[in-house]
Amino acid sequence: MSEKKPGWKEIPIAGVPFKSSLEYKTGDWRVLKPVIDDDKCIKCLLCNIYCPEMSMLVKWDETGNKPLGVYVDYDYCKGCGICADICPVKAIEMVKEER
Ligand code: SF4
Ligand code: SF4
């Protein structure tokens, strides 16, 4: 017979940040980092849409209407690899983080 597990009211609060997440740079959690090949990128912006950390940013032209490319905010990118998986032309490679 299995042991009864505690309910949510019995579990202690842990790891809850009470400030803006801007103050918690999560980039140092990363094991792999995305590197973009600008020559392969077709500027579809799927990586920007799918990044769960809003860390895949877009370079726009002066009109603000035409994307010139994408770049990574390494302060917050956690290295999940979703951008590399979603990229239709495999322009993003996940490489080992060197620290
Ligand atoms: S690896 Fe994950 S967190 Fe980092 S830019 Fe790609 S989708 Fe965003
Ligand atoms: S998903 Fe790939 S091709 Fe599309 S913008 Fe991102 S890097 Fe470029």
Side-chain angles (χ1 to χ4, degrees), residues 34 50-53 55-56 72 76-84 94:
Y50 278 86
C51 173
E53 305 300 330
S55 297
M56 189 61 84
V72 181
Y76 297 99
C77 164
K78 293 177 182 166
C80 67
I82 289 172
C83 54
M94 299 302 292

Side-chain angles (χ1 to χ4, degrees), residues 3-12:
E3 190 179 320
K4 185 176 182 298
K5 294 183 180 162
W8 66 272
K9 287 181 182 171
E10 287 91 46
I11 297 173

Side-chain angles (χ1 to χ4, degrees), residues 36-37 40-48 56 69-70 83 86-92:
I36 302 155
D37 182 337
K40 283 190 188 171
C41 175
I42 57 171
K43 304 168 188 66
C44 67
L45 307 188
L46 282 175
C47 54
N48 167 262
M56 189 61 84
V70 289
C83 54
I86 205 73
C87 178
V89 293
K90 300 295 169 211
I92 303 172

